[in-house]
Amino acid sequence: MGALAAAIAIGLAALGAGLGIGLIGGRTVEGIARQPELRGPLTITMLMAIALVEAIPIMAVVIAFMVQGR
């Protein structure tokens, strides 16, 4: 039962991160299309935001393994 709960937790974290990264990327492309001269700063901000969003599923994997190990 613990393995199933861990799999669901990891799956939901990955789904949420995927949606978040998709929204971040889409909004960045939209911003670049509106103001091409801000391409550099927008890209840097996008990459930092993606890194922060991607940290959440990594933490979810670690927590799921810790809970499953009990």
Side-chain angles (χ1 to χ4, degrees), residues 2-70:
L4 179 62
I8 291 172
I10 294 169
L12 288 175
L15 179 69
L19 288 172
I21 290 172
L23 288 173
I24 291 169
R27 300 297 170 131
T28 302
V29 169
E30 183 179 329
I32 292 171
R34 290 174 186 252
Q35 295 183 344
E37 67 275 4
L38 293 178
R39 180 179 182 203
L42 286 175
T43 303
I44 292 170
T45 304
M46 176 194 69
L47 292 175
M48 289 176 21
I50 286 175
L52 291 173
V53 169
E54 191 64 32
I56 293 173
I58 294 170
M59 288 187 281
V61 168
V62 170
I63 292 170
F65 284 149
M66 288 172 43
V67 170
Q68 183 185 4
R70 288 185 179 192

